[in-house]
Amino acid sequence: MSRLLIVSNRLPLSVEKRRSRLYFEPSAGGLATALGAFYKSQPSVWIGWPGIELEKIKGEEQDVEARLLSENCHPVFLSEQDVEDFYHGFCNKTIWPLFHYFSEYTVYDKDFWQAYERVNEAFADTIAEVAEPGDIIWIHDYHLMLLPKLVRDRLPEATIGFFLHIPFPSFEVFRLLPWRRQILNGLLGANLIGFHTYDYVWHFLDSVHNLLGYEATRGQLTTADRAIKADVVPIGIDYGRYAKAAKDSNVRAEVSKFREMLGNCKIILSIDRLDYTKGIPKRLEAFSIFLEEHPEYREKLILVMVVVPSRTKVEHYAQLKKQIDELVGAINGKYGSIGFTPIWYLYRPLPFDSLIALYNMADIALVTPLRDGMNLIAKEYVATKTNGRGVLILSETAGAARELGEAITINVNNPEDIVQALEEALAMPKREQVERNRIMQKRLQRYDVGRWAGEFIDRLLYTRTLQNEIEARALVSEARTALVSDFHKSQRRLLLLDYDGTLVSFSGKPGRAKPTGELKGLLKKIARNPKNEVVFISGRDKDTIGKWFGSLNAGLVAEHGAWVKEKGGEWEMIEALTSDWKGEVRPIVERCVDRTPGSFIEEKGFSLAWHYRETSPKLGDLRARELTNDLLNLTSNLNLQVLEGSKVVEVKNAGVNKGRAALQWISRQEWDFILAVGDDLTDEDVFKVLPTTAWSIKVGFSASAAKFNLGSPIEVTALLKQMIKGEKV
Ligand code: GDG
């Protein structure tokens, strides 16, 4: 049976050393709690850092490892320097602030980055040692974004899922990162990349499009040889645990204890890790305004604010702590009295029972992050409301706001908005509170953490099906051997080869994609063999094609079939064509060039092509659609055709296409081997006119009439080399 390999920065077990003795305790992190039950419900292994620096357990590594292994945990040991530069550095001073839109807090440091690379490599090595064929590898969070690719390099066949627990920022923010392409390429090693909300998916795909050029269709990307899916899979909570805990006798005892201390006051609750993303000062500011504007609530309303210490080593956290202490002091000083403090401020973690008791009692939960991937506090609060009463006020920039539509949502940057939300919450009739909470509870119960994990794995396995479809069409193993053997057995062979995107990769400017000496040598060798009839079928103008391949013993087709040149012959037009339509069309294309920086016109004898490979991708796509529409309107009465190729829109005479030109050769004699290779829409016309016995290959993995696919021009030239290997000319 296949196992689940969960990979996260921290293991669910933490190692501590006190007075020379080792202690193994459950980790406090949310992920360990969230996935704990799921992890135990099937054969699983957890890979991560055990929370102690290597130097502190020198000589005892094997004991630590053995103890962790007995709980199916595989440690990745990190040195003090790694913890400093990788965890406190790149993770918490670079990625965390940037991905939460705190670009002014973001530190760009090469040593941090190198530590991030190093630690991700160490994780990859451990996975490669532990993984067995068929295992499912599920990598978690922003600490390990390079890992999917590093694992893919080591285990090409692996099934790899990645889940990001924090927001993925918009492209304008993400692009600030000096190592942005490495991060994206790292993530693209996965088969499935999961996010909490559609916004994050969209931001990710947008960055991939802008920075790497891959376009997505319904969340699916196809790179050179792999299908990758980005999807929304919002994390749930262990609903049953929270709902049940609220009725537990220990929790009831805690409730009575707190009630005695708080009297009949209405309770507003907030619980956060100490973090600048949580909007704690904004909340305090709004609470202060509320007390100012509503003296009737003084001494009748209390804010219980739990702040859990975290990342105290990072400077911004220490500053934040000071700011909170001061604000709390000022508010308590101003609105408190001898027997009453408006803010109950606890700077420490709470035991689970106390946490549930506070959730259960609170009239209002005030959740105000400036940015939050999801925010589980909001969900847990709703789950513990056994009698259905209580109001959730939730920041619209928390991922949870996407699912908890019945909460009162606020813009945290507007204190008046928070004040109004408090007024609304305090005035909300009980019936309405119950109605809203019951709807949210139903949703949270149905889509709980087990369902989240199960769904993620199901979708991950589905991406394998997509991948299998791609692989089934790839020209590999038996099919490739059969093609080569057919070629060797045959005497009359026809090779129809496209050029750009097929024999060479695209370049920003068409003139730069010149064949190298090596490529020309290879093609020359093929064309020299009297058994081979080679035809280059290109969309390029005849002068360029003539200059590059005119000296070869090969047929040439230029401008998508407008011009044809037989071996040793002259250029001829396939039919009498006119170009007087250009005067009418050119101004439209020129206007498009003016409005689209980086684009340009290529003028050929019988066509006009608008190239946009070097424009910003989204603007290019938008303009391509506009231009195509404009041209279709204009050309409907003219005998013209508008084609959309790879980053090019082209107008040419109708009826001229590569297929028609190819037929000139195909119908010439009884070939016993035909191979056509091409990469874009214009090559489909060739594939469609081939006899059924012919071999056809599309470069790239999008839909095609070709029988097989190859990933790139490099693979095409490798195939050609393999075909002619051992052939005597
Ligand atoms: C990431 C994302 C995303 C908190 N204080 C105490 C305590 N907690 C528990 C809560 C909750 C968890 O910690 C915190 O939940 P978050 O949602 O803030 O999650 P994080 O782990 O900080 O962070 C976040 C999450 O991943 C999941 O994808 O929601 O956006 O940043 O479960 O109950 N538990 C106890 N005492 C406390 O004082 N016992």
Side-chain angles (χ1 to χ4, degrees):
M1 190 180 175
S2 70
R3 300 175 308 168
L4 175 65
L5 266 56
I6 298 177
V7 189
S8 63
N9 177 45
R10 291 295 295 271
L11 279 174
L13 274 186
S14 288
V15 183
E16 276 190 49
K17 196 167 198 181
R18 294 191 291 267
R19 292 205 204 99
S20 312
R21 271 199 65 188
L22 291 171
Y23 294 86
F24 295 78
E25 277 152 18
S27 302
L31 188 65
T33 326
L35 279 178
F38 187 77
Y39 165 65
K40 289 195 180 114
S41 70
Q42 58 194 299
S44 306
V45 168
W46 203 308
I47 295 170
W49 178 51
I52 190 161
E53 291 85 349
L54 194 55
E55 289 80 350
K56 294 190 184 148
I57 49 164
K58 260 274 152 291
E60 294 173 292
E61 296 98 314
Q62 282 180 354
D63 298 344
V64 171
E65 190 157 2
R67 171 73 173 80
L68 291 170
L69 280 177
S70 71
E71 306 260 357
N72 289 336
C73 290
H74 284 260
V76 178
F77 291 120
L78 302 181
S79 69
E80 269 167 24
Q81 194 63 48
D82 284 340
V83 175
E84 196 50 41
D85 289 351
F86 158 75
Y87 181 67
H88 297 299
F90 199 76
C91 293
N92 290 336
K93 288 187 188 146
T94 309
I95 296 293
W96 178 270
L98 189 69
F99 279 39
H100 287 87
Y101 294 77
F102 280 78
S103 56
E104 72 278 23
Y105 286 10
T106 307
V107 177
Y108 303 107
D109 180 315
K110 203 160 165 225
D111 289 339
F112 290 177
W113 165 249
Q114 284 168 350
Y116 190 74
E117 287 186 299
R118 202 167 54 237
V119 170
N120 274 258
E121 291 275 356
F123 269 79
D125 289 340
T126 307
I127 294 174
E129 274 165 34
V130 174
E132 291 166 11
D135 284 350
I136 295 168
I137 303 170
W138 189 5
I139 301 168
H140 288 265
D141 229 0
Y142 63 102
H143 317 87
L144 300 172
M145 289 190 284
L146 300 178
L147 192 52
K149 177 174 188 304
L150 297 174
V151 176
R152 175 78 52 212
D153 291 345
R154 290 160 173 81
L155 307 168
E157 302 299 319
T159 303
I160 306 172
F162 179 92
F163 192 85
L164 186 70
H165 290 262
I166 64 172
F168 195 95
S170 75
F171 169 60
E172 283 303 327
V173 170
F174 180 70
R175 73 187 310 178
L176 302 175
L177 189 68
W179 308 279
R180 59 216 178 166
R181 285 198 177 81
Q182 289 95 315
I183 295 284
L184 292 181
N185 279 319
L187 290 170
L188 291 183
N191 301 87
L192 172 68
I193 307 162
F195 300 88
H196 287 309
T197 74
Y198 182 70
D199 295 334
Y200 307 159
V201 173
W202 161 240
H203 292 160
F204 169 71
L205 291 175
D206 193 32
S207 289
V208 169
H209 188 192
N210 278 301
L211 293 165
L212 302 181
Y214 300 126
E215 285 174 55
T217 320
R218 272 175 269 116
Q220 189 186 320
L221 295 159
T222 307
T223 61
D225 57 352
R226 295 191 30 254
I228 300 155
K229 201 143 172 70
D231 214 342
V232 188
V233 198
I235 195 169
I237 55 166
D238 187 349
Y239 185 87
R241 178 167 178 245
Y242 287 91
K244 207 165 110 212
K247 296 182 189 149
D248 182 88
S249 58
N250 292 336
V251 171
R252 298 322 309 166
E254 281 290 283
V255 170
S256 311
K257 195 179 86 191
F258 285 136
R259 184 49 76 195
E260 211 165 292
M261 293 164 161
L262 295 164
N264 272 337
C265 271
K266 292 254 181 207
I267 304 168
I268 303 174
L269 175 68
S270 78
I271 300 179
D272 311 273
R273 212 166 32 74
L274 177 73
D275 200 291
Y276 47 79
T277 62
K278 301 291 182 185
I280 303 173
K282 299 268 181 200
R283 180 188 312 154
L284 289 170
E285 187 193 340
F287 184 60
S288 170
I289 298 173
F290 181 88
L291 290 179
E292 187 60 38
E293 290 179 0
H294 294 279
E296 72 277 16
Y297 274 109
R298 292 188 202 161
E299 309 209 356
K300 293 194 183 105
L301 180 66
I302 194 160
L303 170 62
V304 177
M305 193 169 86
V306 182
V307 176
V308 181
S310 106
R311 304 179 194 172
T312 37
K313 282 192 172 179
V314 181
E315 184 198 334
H316 293 297
Y317 289 74
Q319 278 169 5
L320 176 67
K321 168 77 173 47
K322 192 160 166 272
Q323 189 189 4
I324 295 171
D325 288 352
E326 285 170 8
L327 279 167
V328 169
I331 296 170
N332 279 343
K334 187 164 178 193
Y335 301 106
S337 61
I338 300 280
F340 185 77
T341 343
I343 303 175
W344 241 34
Y345 171 37
L346 307 175
Y347 180 62
R348 59 183 147 88
L350 286 184
F352 183 71
D353 289 347
S354 314
L355 180 84
I356 303 298
L358 285 173
Y359 280 152
N360 185 254
M361 298 169 74
D363 299 280
I364 296 169
L366 186 53
V367 184
T368 62
L370 290 153
R371 292 279 164 184
D372 211 333
M374 172 56 79
N375 194 294
L376 298 178
I377 302 283
K379 292 188 168 183
E380 291 166 5
Y381 172 72
V382 173
T384 60
K385 290 296 174 191
T386 37
N387 66 6
R389 292 206 211 120
V391 181
L392 172 64
I393 300 178
L394 179 59
S395 161
E396 61 196 18
T397 41
R402 293 274 173 270
E403 290 171 82
L404 302 176
E406 292 72 20
I408 301 179
T409 49
I410 46 164
N411 174 353
V412 181
N413 289 310
N414 181 0
E416 282 309 318
D417 213 14
I418 307 180
V419 170
Q420 266 177 31
L422 285 172
E423 290 164 354
E424 187 185 337
L426 287 163
M428 189 180 288
K430 291 204 170 62
R431 195 172 27 83
E432 187 180 340
Q433 296 180 22
V434 176
E435 262 170 34
R436 289 182 185 228
N437 285 330
R438 292 294 182 229
I439 299 172
M440 292 193 278
Q441 285 174 339
K442 232 183 191 163
R443 203 176 297 136
L444 293 174
Q445 190 170 13
R446 274 173 60 85
Y447 198 91
D448 69 357
V449 68
R451 176 89 185 273
W452 166 70
E455 203 145 295
F456 185 91
I457 301 297
D458 282 353
R459 289 192 212 179
L460 175 56
L461 293 174
Y462 169 69
T463 59
R464 290 297 323 181
T465 327
L466 298 175
Q467 186 62 23
N468 291 344
E469 278 168 20
I470 281 193
E471 280 164 14
R473 287 168 43 89
L475 185 74
V476 285
S477 42
E478 290 115 57
R480 192 179 178 108
T481 315
L483 182 150
V484 174
S485 132
D486 257 19
F487 180 76
H488 285 164
K489 279 189 270 173
S490 56
Q491 301 300 317
R492 296 177 309 280
R493 308 149 169 172
L494 176 62
L495 296 140
L496 304 167
L497 306 174
D498 169 48
Y499 180 69
D500 292 276
T502 297
L503 294 174
V504 293
S505 296
F506 285 103
S507 156
K509 294 265 184 299
R512 277 194 232 136
K514 219 163 85 175
T516 59
E518 191 194 345
L519 175 63
K520 265 182 111 168
L522 171 69
L523 297 170
K524 200 167 173 182
K525 203 165 162 193
I526 299 172
R528 211 167 49 207
N529 186 337
K531 290 184 192 171
N532 300 340
E533 176 82 22
V534 178
V535 187
F536 295 100
I537 307 189
S538 171
R540 291 220 176 220
D541 67 273
K542 69 180 192 344
D543 295 343
T544 308
I545 282 291
K547 192 166 75 196
W548 288 347
F549 298 117
S551 64
L552 263 59
N553 185 31
L556 305 180
V557 174
E559 292 191 31
H560 304 294
W563 292 99
V564 170
K565 182 177 176 298
E566 296 284 348
K567 273 198 277 196
E570 293 301 316
W571 283 108
E572 283 172 32
M573 273 202 292
I574 206 156
E575 63 177 64
L577 298 169
T578 61
S579 60
D580 43 7
W581 50 268
K582 279 185 183 172
E584 227 173 312
V585 171
R586 195 182 295 105
I588 296 181
V589 186
E590 277 170 351
R591 205 175 63 220
C592 191
V593 171
D594 293 341
R595 297 169 65 218
T596 320
S599 73
F600 63 91
I601 301 181
E602 183 190 5
E603 181 149 356
K604 309 179 201 174
F606 297 101
S607 78
L608 281 179
W610 177 72
H611 291 269
Y612 62 98
R613 186 162 300 278
E614 291 204 327
T615 65
S616 120
K618 273 221 266 347
L619 178 65
D621 290 349
L622 176 73
R623 291 282 187 262
R625 234 166 297 134
E626 287 172 0
L627 179 64
T628 307
N629 270 337
D630 292 350
L631 291 172
L632 284 173
N633 283 335
L634 178 82
T635 56
S636 56
N637 300 326
L638 304 168
N639 192 25
L640 296 176
Q641 193 189 355
V642 182
L643 301 176
E644 280 200 63
S646 177
K647 302 288 178 193
V648 59
V649 176
E650 188 155 1
V651 195
K652 64 179 182 63
N653 289 276
V656 170
N657 67 53
K658 288 184 177 181
R660 188 169 156 200
L663 269 178
Q664 209 167 298
W665 272 271
I666 294 168
S667 57
R668 183 162 302 164
Q669 60 158 298
E670 278 289 301
W671 304 100
D672 51 7
F673 177 92
I674 300 180
L675 167 66
V677 195
D679 73 301
D680 78 6
L681 273 181
T682 61
D683 300 307
E684 294 297 313
D685 292 326
V686 178
F687 299 145
K688 284 180 200 149
V689 299
L690 294 173
T692 49
T693 49
W695 292 89
S696 50
I697 301 172
K698 155 111 179 163
V699 183
F701 284 86
S702 48
S704 170
K707 289 181 185 159
F708 295 98
N709 294 82
L710 279 176
S712 65
I714 296 172
E715 290 184 36
V716 176
T717 44
L719 173 70
L720 293 174
K721 281 182 196 159
Q722 188 186 350
M723 284 163 63
I724 62 161
K725 200 168 163 203
E727 290 244 303
K728 292 193 187 66
V729 188

PDB file of all heavy atoms in Angstrom, residues 364-378:
ATOM      1  N   ILE A 364     -18.540  38.089  21.451  1.00  0.00           N
ATOM      2  CA  ILE A 364     -18.019  38.526  20.157  1.00  0.00           C
ATOM      3  C   ILE A 364     -16.584  38.010  20.010  1.00  0.00           C
ATOM      4  O   ILE A 364     -15.802  38.091  20.964  1.00  0.00           O
ATOM      5  CB  ILE A 364     -17.985  40.076  20.072  1.00  0.00           C
ATOM      6  CG1 ILE A 364     -19.409  40.641  20.149  1.00  0.00           C
ATOM      7  CG2 ILE A 364     -17.282  40.555  18.802  1.00  0.00           C
ATOM      8  CD1 ILE A 364     -19.450  42.155  20.327  1.00  0.00           C
ATOM      9  N   ALA A 365     -16.256  37.488  18.831  1.00  0.00           N
ATOM     10  CA  ALA A 365     -14.833  37.233  18.541  1.00  0.00           C
ATOM     11  C   ALA A 365     -14.409  38.314  17.566  1.00  0.00           C
ATOM     12  O   ALA A 365     -15.058  38.521  16.529  1.00  0.00           O
ATOM     13  CB  ALA A 365     -14.643  35.854  17.932  1.00  0.00           C
ATOM     14  N   LEU A 366     -13.352  39.025  17.913  1.00  0.00           N
ATOM     15  CA  LEU A 366     -12.900  40.135  17.072  1.00  0.00           C
ATOM     16  C   LEU A 366     -11.582  39.722  16.403  1.00  0.00           C
ATOM     17  O   LEU A 366     -10.526  39.727  17.022  1.00  0.00           O
ATOM     18  CB  LEU A 366     -12.720  41.373  17.956  1.00  0.00           C
ATOM     19  CG  LEU A 366     -12.375  42.693  17.266  1.00  0.00           C
ATOM     20  CD1 LEU A 366     -13.354  43.044  16.153  1.00  0.00           C
ATOM     21  CD2 LEU A 366     -12.320  43.827  18.293  1.00  0.00           C
ATOM     22  N   VAL A 367     -11.703  39.323  15.135  1.00  0.00           N
ATOM     23  CA  VAL A 367     -10.549  38.767  14.408  1.00  0.00           C
ATOM     24  C   VAL A 367     -10.153  39.780  13.337  1.00  0.00           C
ATOM     25  O   VAL A 367     -10.869  39.963  12.361  1.00  0.00           O
ATOM     26  CB  VAL A 367     -10.925  37.397  13.783  1.00  0.00           C
ATOM     27  CG1 VAL A 367      -9.711  36.767  13.121  1.00  0.00           C
ATOM     28  CG2 VAL A 367     -11.500  36.462  14.841  1.00  0.00           C
ATOM     29  N   THR A 368      -8.992  40.420  13.540  1.00  0.00           N
ATOM     30  CA  THR A 368      -8.683  41.594  12.706  1.00  0.00           C
ATOM     31  C   THR A 368      -7.353  41.546  11.947  1.00  0.00           C
ATOM     32  O   THR A 368      -6.654  42.559  11.883  1.00  0.00           O
ATOM     33  CB  THR A 368      -8.630  42.854  13.607  1.00  0.00           C
ATOM     34  OG1 THR A 368      -7.563  42.649  14.556  1.00  0.00           O
ATOM     35  CG2 THR A 368      -9.911  43.119  14.324  1.00  0.00           C
ATOM     36  N   PRO A 369      -6.976  40.408  11.375  1.00  0.00           N
ATOM     37  CA  PRO A 369      -5.681  40.442  10.691  1.00  0.00           C
ATOM     38  C   PRO A 369      -5.665  41.396   9.498  1.00  0.00           C
ATOM     39  O   PRO A 369      -6.672  41.569   8.817  1.00  0.00           O
ATOM     40  CB  PRO A 369      -5.491  39.000  10.216  1.00  0.00           C
ATOM     41  CG  PRO A 369      -6.846  38.431  10.158  1.00  0.00           C
ATOM     42  CD  PRO A 369      -7.637  39.113  11.239  1.00  0.00           C
ATOM     43  N   LEU A 370      -4.492  41.988   9.274  1.00  0.00           N
ATOM     44  CA  LEU A 370      -4.310  42.802   8.072  1.00  0.00           C
ATOM     45  C   LEU A 370      -4.188  41.885   6.862  1.00  0.00           C
ATOM     46  O   LEU A 370      -4.615  42.210   5.767  1.00  0.00           O
ATOM     47  CB  LEU A 370      -3.058  43.666   8.224  1.00  0.00           C
ATOM     48  CG  LEU A 370      -3.235  44.780   9.257  1.00  0.00           C
ATOM     49  CD1 LEU A 370      -1.918  45.170   9.868  1.00  0.00           C
ATOM     50  CD2 LEU A 370      -3.927  45.977   8.634  1.00  0.00           C
ATOM     51  N   ARG A 371      -3.578  40.711   7.088  1.00  0.00           N
ATOM     52  CA  ARG A 371      -3.509  39.629   6.099  1.00  0.00           C
ATOM     53  C   ARG A 371      -3.398  38.341   6.871  1.00  0.00           C
ATOM     54  O   ARG A 371      -2.647  38.273   7.845  1.00  0.00           O
ATOM     55  CB  ARG A 371      -2.264  39.712   5.215  1.00  0.00           C
ATOM     56  CG  ARG A 371      -2.201  40.839   4.291  1.00  0.00           C
ATOM     57  CD  ARG A 371      -3.000  40.593   3.037  1.00  0.00           C
ATOM     58  NE  ARG A 371      -3.194  41.869   2.376  1.00  0.00           N
ATOM     59  CZ  ARG A 371      -3.911  42.048   1.295  1.00  0.00           C
ATOM     60  NH1 ARG A 371      -4.537  41.029   0.733  1.00  0.00           N
ATOM     61  NH2 ARG A 371      -4.028  43.231   0.761  1.00  0.00           N
ATOM     62  N   ASP A 372      -4.093  37.319   6.413  1.00  0.00           N
ATOM     63  CA  ASP A 372      -3.989  36.010   7.041  1.00  0.00           C
ATOM     64  C   ASP A 372      -4.341  34.969   5.994  1.00  0.00           C
ATOM     65  O   ASP A 372      -5.351  35.131   5.297  1.00  0.00           O
ATOM     66  CB  ASP A 372      -4.989  35.924   8.210  1.00  0.00           C
ATOM     67  CG  ASP A 372      -4.480  35.029   9.325  1.00  0.00           C
ATOM     68  OD1 ASP A 372      -3.683  34.127   9.028  1.00  0.00           O
ATOM     69  OD2 ASP A 372      -4.880  35.244  10.487  1.00  0.00           O
ATOM     70  N   GLY A 373      -3.504  33.921   5.878  1.00  0.00           N
ATOM     71  CA  GLY A 373      -3.764  32.893   4.878  1.00  0.00           C
ATOM     72  C   GLY A 373      -5.182  32.380   5.009  1.00  0.00           C
ATOM     73  O   GLY A 373      -5.985  32.425   4.070  1.00  0.00           O
ATOM     74  N   MET A 374      -5.518  31.905   6.205  1.00  0.00           N
ATOM     75  CA  MET A 374      -6.873  31.443   6.475  1.00  0.00           C
ATOM     76  C   MET A 374      -7.401  32.107   7.747  1.00  0.00           C
ATOM     77  O   MET A 374      -8.293  32.911   7.736  1.00  0.00           O
ATOM     78  CB  MET A 374      -6.881  29.905   6.604  1.00  0.00           C
ATOM     79  CG  MET A 374      -8.195  29.312   7.063  1.00  0.00           C
ATOM     80  SD  MET A 374      -9.595  29.766   6.029  1.00  0.00           S
ATOM     81  CE  MET A 374      -9.411  28.690   4.650  1.00  0.00           C
ATOM     82  N   ASN A 375      -6.864  31.747   8.896  1.00  0.00           N
ATOM     83  CA  ASN A 375      -7.251  32.110  10.269  1.00  0.00           C
ATOM     84  C   ASN A 375      -8.209  31.073  10.837  1.00  0.00           C
ATOM     85  O   ASN A 375      -9.411  31.068  10.566  1.00  0.00           O
ATOM     86  CB  ASN A 375      -7.863  33.503  10.409  1.00  0.00           C
ATOM     87  CG  ASN A 375      -7.889  33.896  11.885  1.00  0.00           C
ATOM     88  OD1 ASN A 375      -8.597  33.287  12.678  1.00  0.00           O
ATOM     89  ND2 ASN A 375      -7.075  34.850  12.256  1.00  0.00           N
ATOM     90  N   LEU A 376      -7.611  30.188  11.623  1.00  0.00           N
ATOM     91  CA  LEU A 376      -8.385  29.086  12.193  1.00  0.00           C
ATOM     92  C   LEU A 376      -9.159  29.502  13.434  1.00  0.00           C
ATOM     93  O   LEU A 376     -10.155  28.881  13.783  1.00  0.00           O
ATOM     94  CB  LEU A 376      -7.444  27.916  12.517  1.00  0.00           C
ATOM     95  CG  LEU A 376      -6.735  27.329  11.298  1.00  0.00           C
ATOM     96  CD1 LEU A 376      -5.798  26.206  11.697  1.00  0.00           C
ATOM     97  CD2 LEU A 376      -7.743  26.821  10.275  1.00  0.00           C
ATOM     98  N   ILE A 377      -8.686  30.574  14.112  1.00  0.00           N
ATOM     99  CA  ILE A 377      -9.366  31.043  15.321  1.00  0.00           C
ATOM    100  C   ILE A 377     -10.838  31.327  14.996  1.00  0.00           C
ATOM    101  O   ILE A 377     -11.743  30.954  15.746  1.00  0.00           O
ATOM    102  CB  ILE A 377      -8.692  32.337  15.854  1.00  0.00           C
ATOM    103  CG1 ILE A 377      -7.214  32.106  16.142  1.00  0.00           C
ATOM    104  CG2 ILE A 377      -9.453  32.926  17.031  1.00  0.00           C
ATOM    105  CD1 ILE A 377      -6.880  31.377  17.402  1.00  0.00           C
ATOM    106  N   ALA A 378     -11.066  31.981  13.841  1.00  0.00           N
ATOM    107  CA  ALA A 378     -12.428  32.350  13.451  1.00  0.00           C
ATOM    108  C   ALA A 378     -13.295  31.098  13.332  1.00  0.00           C
ATOM    109  O   ALA A 378     -14.441  31.060  13.797  1.00  0.00           O
ATOM    110  CB  ALA A 378     -12.396  33.098  12.121  1.00  0.00           C
TER     111      ALA A 378
END
